[in-house]
Amino acid sequence: MKNYSVNLKLQGAEFPALRSTALKFLALSVAVPAAALSLSVSAQEASEIEEVVITGVRGKPRTVQDSPVPVDVFSSDDLENVEFTDMNDIVRTLVPTYNLSREPISDGASFIRPATLRGLPTDKTLVLVNGKRRHRAALVRIGGSGVQGPDLATIPAAAIGGLEILRDGAAALYGSDAIAGVMNFQLKNNDSGGSLFVTTGEYYEGDGSNTTIGGNIGFSLGDGGFLSVSGEHYTADATYRGNQYCGSWFCLDPNGAAYNSFIENGRPDRIAYATDPAFIAATANASLEGDMVQPWGNPNAERTSIFFNAGMPLSETVDFYAFGNYTESESDGSFFYRHPYNGTIEELREPDGSIYFPLEMYPGGFTPRFYGEVEDISLVAGLTSTEEGALGWDVSVRTGESSIDYTLANTINPSMGPDSPKSFKPGTLTNTETQFQIDLSYELSDTLTILGGVSYLDEEYDIGEGEPDSYRVGPYAAADPWGFCDGDAPTAAGQAVIDAGSTLNCADSSDPVYRAVGVGSNGFPGYSPAFSDVYTRDSFAAYVEVNTDIGEALFVQGAVRYEDYSDFGSETIFKIAGNYSISDSMSLRASYNTGFRAPTPGQQGTTNVSTRLPNGFPVAVGLFPASGTVAQTLGATDLKPETSSGFSVGVTGSVGSADFTIDYYTIDVDDYFNAVSTRDVSSDPTAGDAYANFLALDAAGVAGANTIGGVNWFTNAYDVGVSGVDAVVTLPIDSGLGTTDITLTYGYNKFEFNSSPAGFLNAEAQHDIVNFDPNTRFILQANHRMDKIGFNLRGSYWGEGSNRLSSSDDSPIQTFGSVFMTDLSLAYYGESYTITAGGMNIFDEYPDKDSISDYCCGRVYPSASGISWQGGRWYIKAEYVF
C-alpha cells in the first residue's frame, strides 16, 4: 500500500484513481500551522478514501475538517521524502513556524539543538510517541529561554509511520508543556516486509559530506502480533563558513575589517605576536579542525538510532503493547580562540621565579574543542482494551533517560600553570523520567463521549561531577601565589629568586607575579562538588474530557485538568473548543484554553561557566541556579510556574478542487521563563556595579570569581504574547502529462512583551528577542508524478529580521533582507526500488552577512538564525522496499 495525502472534506466520498494518485506527497507542505489531512490510499484499488484519527480529540475518530483545532498530519512518505540530517530538519522543512538554528560555540546546544514553534521555545510544545509523553533531553540551554525539551534528533524518520502536529494549546488534554501545541510521532506497526535506504550528499563548498543508512523490518508475533524494528546510522563532516580571526583586540587577517584599528590602537604585546611570522605559522595548528583558528560551521557528527514497536493480543479483549529506543551520538564543536595575553594565555611566575607562558604548550594559541556523547534510552509498555463497547481503558508505564558526557580537549586549566593537562572530562548531565498512567473512556451515546485519567510522574536531573583537574583551583588563581612580594618590596622568598637571577619586580604592577588566571578547564570548567547535585520532583495529574455532537453541524469539546507538583504546588487548567459546519464545503472552528508549565528540575539546577560574548568579545560568563546562594546574592528570586491562555479561530473549506484552511491564534504566557541579560563582573574597584557583582560572587565562595567577566540566571519576571496566522492552500492538477499537487503553506508570527522586561533584559536583548527571527515564512511546493518519473520543487521564503549591536542609545541596527531558497529533486520509481537525486538550496543562497560588526572572531553570518547559512547542497538516495 502506498501513502498519499489530501486536505479535503471527506464523508465516504469516492474519487477517480487518477486524482488519488495526484494527491501524493501533499502533506510535505501542509506543515504550516493550518490543518491538513493525511490519508492512506491503495493506488491499485480504486478510490475510497477513509477518515483518520487525529491528535487533539480523543474518542470518536474525526477528520481534519471536523476537528475543532488545527492539526497537520504527515505520512511516513512525507517525512522520508525530505532530505534531512535529523528529525528537526524534517519538521523545519515542513512547518513554517517551526524555527531551528545551528548554534556553533554554544556549549551543549551544539549537540542538542533548541527550537521554537509559533515563536515559543519547544519546551512549551509537548512531544508524544504513540500518544505517550517523550522524555526531555539532558541539555538545558544556558542562555535565552533556557529550553529543555525532548531531542527530536533521537527519532529516526525510518521508524515513523505518521506525524500529527496539533497547533493549539492542549495542556488540559495532555498535561504540562503543551502550551504552544503537541507533536505526536506514530511508530510503524508493520508485521512483515520492510525497506532499506542509503542517502549521501555534500555542500557546494566541498565540505560537510554526510551519509545516512536506514531501514525498517517487520515481524509477526504469535497470532495477530507484530514487531517493527527501525534504525538509522548517520555521519557528517564539519563545514567551514567563517573568516580568519580578526577583532580590534587581536587580528590575524591583514585584510580584516578591524586590522587597521588593531594595529593602530591594539596592545603592543599582542601586535608583536600577531605580526610575527613564526607565530602566524603556528596558528595553523591552534584548532583541531581546519587551518583557521576559529571554525564556524556545522560540527562533525555521528548518530545511531534504533526504535522498536510491538503489539500482541493477550486475549480477545486485551492487547499488550511496548515500544522504545536506544540512540547514541557523538558530535563536537569549537570554542573561542585563545590568543596571547587574552586573560588565559598569560605570563606567570613559577616557584623558582622564572616565567611560564602557555605558548610553551600551544605556540600559536589554542581553540578548545568540545565533545559531547549523547545517549538516549526509552521504554514504554502497557495494556489496552479492545472489546467493542462503551468502556475503554489503557494502563501504561514509561521510563526514559537522556545523558550527555562531555570532553574538552586542546585547552588548559590556566590556574594549574605548567602542570595543567590538555584534555578534561568536565562532567555528565542526565535527565530521567518515569511515569504511570491510566486513561479511561466511556461512550454514553453515538454523540457523547466522556474520557478521564490519572498519571504520576517522577523526574530526576543529575549534574555529575567532573574529574578534579577540570574544576581544580590551581595556585595561579590568585596573585603572588608563592609569597614573593610584600607591597612594592620582595619578601625573603622573593629576594632569594631575584638573587638566583629572576627578573621579579614587586614594584611593577604588571609583573607576572601579580597575574591571576581562570579556574578549571578553560572554555567549560568542570562541575565541582559544590555545583554537582541531583534535583528531583514528582507530580500527580487527573483530567476529564467531554466530546459531544450537538445536532448535525456542531461539535463541542471540553476538558479540565488538575496537576500537583511537589516543588511548585497545584494548578487547574481547562479547554473548550468547537467546530461548526456551515455547509458540506466549509466549517468554522474556535478554541480557548489555559495552560501551565513548571520549570524543569534541570532548569532549576543548571550551573555553567563558559566563554560567551555579552559585550561583543569573549569573556567567562557564569550561569547560576536562581534559588541558589550565588544568584540570590546578585538579586535573583525563586522560580515559579508559567501560566498561559490561548485563543484561536479558523475557517476550513473547499472551492472547486482547491482546499484551504486559515487559522488566527494568540497565546499569552505569564511569568515567562528566560535568562536575564548578562551582568558585568570586574575585580576593578572603580568598575561600579561590575565590581559589586564581583564582591557578591567572591562572598558567595565562587572559585575564580576574579576571572569571571559576567553572570546571569533564569527568572520568571515578565509576561509575553505571540499571535499570528497560519494558512494552507492545496490544488491538485490532472493533465495528460501526469498529475501535479501544488501546495502553499504560510505562517505569520509576532512575539511581543505584555509587561516591561526592563531590569531583566537590556535594550539589545529586548530588540533581538522581538525582531531577530523573521515574522513571515511561506513554503510553495509542486509535486509531479508521471508514470515512473516524479519531481519535487519546493521554494521556502523567510521575511526580514533585524539585529541590534548594543544597548547604547545610538546603537546601529542591521536589517536582514528576505531570503528565498529552492529545493529540487528528481526520482525514478522501479518495481521495488526508488532512485532520487536532488539539491537543497540549489541556487546557493545565504542570509545577509554581518554589516555592523556585531559578530566577532571570524563569524560572518547570523549563526543563531533559523535560516540555513551553509549554502547549497546536493544528494542522492537509493531505497529498496521488500
Side-chain angles (χ1 to χ4, degrees):
M1 178 175 287
K2 297 182 179 180
N3 291 327
Y4 302 87
S5 301
V6 62
N7 185 24
L8 296 171
K9 177 76 173 182
L10 302 172
Q11 300 286 349
E14 294 187 354
F15 297 89
L18 252 167
R19 182 171 180 181
S20 69
T21 303
L23 296 172
K24 186 176 182 182
F25 302 137
L26 178 64
L28 279 173
S29 307
V30 178
V32 80
L37 174 59
S38 200
L39 303 170
S40 294
V41 181
S42 171
Q44 289 78 23
E45 293 182 48
S47 40
E48 187 160 342
I49 302 179
E50 300 177 353
E51 295 180 336
V52 296
V53 178
I54 60 176
T55 300
V57 181
R58 297 183 180 94
K60 186 177 180 180
R62 307 193 69 84
T63 67
V64 168
Q65 294 276 8
D66 292 329
S67 172
V69 290
V71 181
D72 305 323
V73 184
F74 307 95
S75 71
S76 60
D77 282 348
D78 301 329
L79 303 180
E80 292 176 6
N81 279 280
V82 176
E83 173 55 15
F84 62 92
T85 59
D86 59 44
M87 185 60 70
N88 280 300
D89 294 292
I90 294 176
V91 177
R92 176 176 62 176
T93 301
L94 300 177
V95 183
T97 55
Y98 186 83
N99 193 41
L100 176 75
S101 60
R102 167 63 71 189
E103 300 190 17
I105 313 184
S106 190
D107 299 316
S110 299
F111 314 136
I112 299 176
R113 293 183 287 169
T116 61
L117 180 67
R118 281 186 162 182
L120 294 175
T122 46
D123 57 1
K124 297 172 184 60
T125 297
L126 181 62
V127 176
L128 308 174
V129 175
N130 281 357
K132 305 299 182 183
R133 178 183 289 262
R134 180 74 173 162
H135 61 275
R136 301 183 185 95
L139 175 72
V140 176
R141 187 184 184 189
I142 60 172
S145 58
V147 62
Q148 185 193 10
D151 181 11
L152 297 191
T154 61
I155 304 175
I160 304 304
L163 167 62
E164 303 165 341
I165 300 180
L166 166 64
R167 293 171 290 99
D168 195 63
L173 277 67
Y174 297 103
S176 176
D177 303 347
I179 289 176
V182 179
M183 294 184 184
N184 184 21
F185 293 87
Q186 294 286 351
L187 299 175
K188 291 178 179 177
N189 58 4
N190 51 308
D191 61 4
S192 64
S195 63
L196 178 68
F197 72 88
V198 179
T199 302
T200 188
E202 187 177 77
Y203 287 97
Y204 289 2
E205 293 289 332
D207 58 13
S209 61
N210 60 79
T211 300
T212 305
I213 301 173
N216 164 269
I217 187 169
F219 305 93
S220 62
L221 292 181
D223 184 12
F226 72 92
L227 171 63
S228 181
V229 181
S230 307
E232 280 183 3
H233 180 73
Y234 167 79
T235 59
D237 295 335
T239 62
Y240 306 94
R241 297 294 180 271
N243 292 330
Q244 183 60 289
Y245 191 101
C246 187
S248 60
W249 55 90
F250 195 83
C251 183
L252 293 171
D253 181 7
N255 298 314
Y259 185 76
N260 290 335
S261 175
F262 169 64
I263 295 298
E264 293 173 5
N265 306 307
R267 285 175 43 174
D269 50 1
R270 295 180 180 179
I271 295 173
Y273 275 101
T275 56
D276 177 18
F279 178 81
I280 295 295
T283 62
N285 298 315
S287 170
L288 297 181
E289 288 291 332
D291 54 4
M292 289 188 181
V293 300
Q294 185 67 73
W296 290 97
N298 291 344
N300 296 295
E302 182 173 4
R303 181 180 64 250
T304 301
S305 301
I306 299 174
F307 253 93
F308 82 92
N309 187 29
M312 176 181 291
L314 298 182
S315 69
E316 293 183 357
T317 60
V318 177
D319 278 1
F320 167 80
Y321 61 86
F323 56 91
N325 80 289
Y326 176 80
T327 301
E328 62 177 14
S329 64
E330 297 181 16
S331 189
D332 62 14
S334 288
F335 283 169
F336 291 104
Y337 170 63
R338 271 61 170 168
H339 56 76
Y341 304 108
N342 73 326
T344 297
I345 300 179
E346 297 286 349
E347 294 178 340
L348 304 170
R349 287 285 179 192
E350 294 197 64
D352 63 358
S354 63
I355 293 177
Y356 163 72
F357 202 27
L359 288 186
E360 296 174 25
M361 285 189 181
Y362 298 104
F366 65 92
T367 304
R369 194 74 179 176
F370 201 36
Y371 299 84
E373 297 180 12
V374 179
E375 186 177 66
D376 187 278
I377 305 172
S378 71
L379 178 63
V380 180
L383 300 173
T384 186
S385 64
T386 59
E387 182 179 13
E388 293 186 6
L391 179 64
W393 55 267
D394 183 285
V395 179
S396 65
V397 58
R398 72 170 182 91
T399 183
E401 181 177 286
S402 170
S403 65
I404 307 177
D405 188 9
Y406 290 131
T407 299
L408 193 59
N410 202 48
T411 187
I412 57 174
N413 179 337
S415 70
M416 294 177 66
D419 296 327
S420 173
K422 292 184 175 183
S423 179
F424 304 85
K425 299 286 287 185
T428 302
L429 303 176
T430 305
N431 186 84
T432 306
E433 300 173 22
T434 301
Q435 184 176 21
F436 300 89
Q437 186 168 329
I438 300 175
D439 296 292
L440 304 170
S441 65
Y442 191 79
E443 189 173 322
L444 290 174
S445 67
D446 290 340
T447 60
L448 177 61
T449 303
I450 298 177
L451 307 101
V454 295
S455 73
Y456 172 81
L457 175 62
D458 181 80
E459 304 173 72
E460 179 178 290
Y461 192 77
D462 185 350
I463 301 177
E465 182 181 341
E467 63 183 20
D469 282 347
S470 71
Y471 58 80
R472 189 181 304 282
V473 181
Y476 297 101
D480 192 14
W482 316 116
F484 286 157
C485 298
D486 182 8
D488 292 343
T491 63
Q495 189 59 52
V497 297
I498 292 173
D499 293 341
S502 172
T503 59
L504 173 68
N505 184 358
C506 293
D508 181 2
S509 61
S510 64
D511 189 279
V513 75
Y514 294 118
R515 170 58 64 180
V517 290
V519 171
S521 44
N522 189 244
F524 192 99
Y527 297 112
S528 68
F531 294 106
S532 301
D533 205 347
V534 177
Y535 298 84
T536 63
R537 77 161 173 223
D538 59 75
S539 60
F540 170 81
Y543 76 92
V544 175
E545 178 184 345
V546 177
N547 299 321
T548 183
D549 290 290
I550 302 175
E552 295 184 358
L554 178 63
F555 171 77
V556 176
Q557 173 192 49
V560 177
R561 188 180 191 92
Y562 171 83
E563 292 191 334
D564 182 57
Y565 284 79
S566 60
D567 51 357
F568 286 107
S570 61
E571 186 79 13
T572 300
I573 53 180
F574 69 91
K575 177 171 186 172
I576 186 168
N579 181 296
Y580 181 75
S581 297
I582 299 175
S583 66
D584 290 341
S585 61
M586 185 170 294
S587 296
L588 298 177
R589 61 189 179 197
S591 72
Y592 180 81
N593 64 84
T594 61
F596 173 84
R597 194 195 77 87
T600 69
Q603 290 173 328
Q604 297 177 58
T606 289
T607 302
N608 178 275
V609 178
S610 58
T611 305
R612 285 175 264 169
L613 304 170
N615 297 306
F617 53 88
V619 297
V621 176
L623 173 75
F624 297 98
S627 60
T629 303
V630 176
Q632 298 218 337
T633 300
L634 294 164
T637 57
D638 289 343
L639 296 175
K640 50 190 173 182
E642 296 170 290
T643 58
S644 69
S645 61
F647 170 75
S648 69
V649 60
V651 57
T652 68
S654 302
V655 178
S657 59
D659 308 306
F660 67 89
T661 62
I662 304 173
D663 291 278
Y664 167 82
Y665 64 88
T666 179
I667 306 170
D668 294 320
V669 182
D670 294 340
D671 300 319
Y672 186 68
F673 182 91
N674 205 79
V676 301
S677 293
T678 300
R679 272 56 169 163
D680 290 338
V681 177
S682 174
S683 57
D684 181 358
T686 65
D689 290 343
Y691 181 64
N693 291 334
F694 159 70
L695 294 177
L697 290 179
D698 191 54
V702 176
N706 56 322
T707 63
I708 291 177
V711 65
N712 66 347
W713 57 88
F714 293 124
T715 190
N716 308 85
Y718 51 87
D719 307 330
V720 305
V722 294
S723 59
V725 175
D726 301 326
V728 62
V729 179
T730 64
L731 176 64
I733 300 175
D734 187 7
S735 68
L737 298 177
T739 58
T740 305
D741 294 330
I742 298 176
T743 306
L744 172 66
T745 58
Y746 171 88
Y748 173 83
N749 178 270
K750 181 180 179 180
F751 184 102
E752 58 187 353
F753 294 105
N754 289 342
S755 67
S756 174
F760 304 97
L761 300 177
N762 59 34
E764 178 188 4
Q766 292 180 48
H767 178 276
D768 291 350
I769 287 174
V770 173
N771 299 287
F772 183 77
D773 291 326
N775 295 124
T776 303
R777 186 186 173 202
F778 70 76
I779 302 168
L780 179 62
Q781 178 172 258
N783 289 297
H784 183 77
R785 177 72 182 268
M786 181 176 62
D787 194 19
K788 294 185 176 183
I789 303 296
F791 77 81
N792 173 274
L793 179 64
R794 180 191 304 113
S796 298
Y797 170 88
W798 289 264
E800 293 183 347
S802 66
N803 176 51
R804 180 169 177 152
L805 175 64
S806 69
S807 294
S808 63
D809 293 339
D810 59 350
S811 171
I813 295 175
Q814 177 179 358
T815 297
F816 294 101
S818 60
V819 180
F820 189 85
M821 296 184 181
T822 306
D823 306 331
L824 176 66
S825 65
L826 179 68
Y828 177 80
Y829 299 92
E831 291 298 322
S832 58
Y833 65 90
T834 303
I835 304 294
T836 305
M840 305 291 288
N841 188 15
I842 60 174
F843 297 115
D844 203 26
E845 295 292 329
Y846 287 82
D848 292 342
K849 295 182 178 181
D850 172 37
S851 65
I852 57 176
S853 300
D854 189 33
Y855 302 144
C856 89
C857 318
R859 178 169 59 145
V860 295
Y861 294 107
S863 56
S865 171
I867 304 172
S868 172
W869 44 281
Q870 302 301 315
R873 178 178 175 274
W874 61 266
Y875 67 93
I876 57 174
K877 177 179 181 180
E879 182 176 19
Y880 173 69
V881 178
F882 56 90

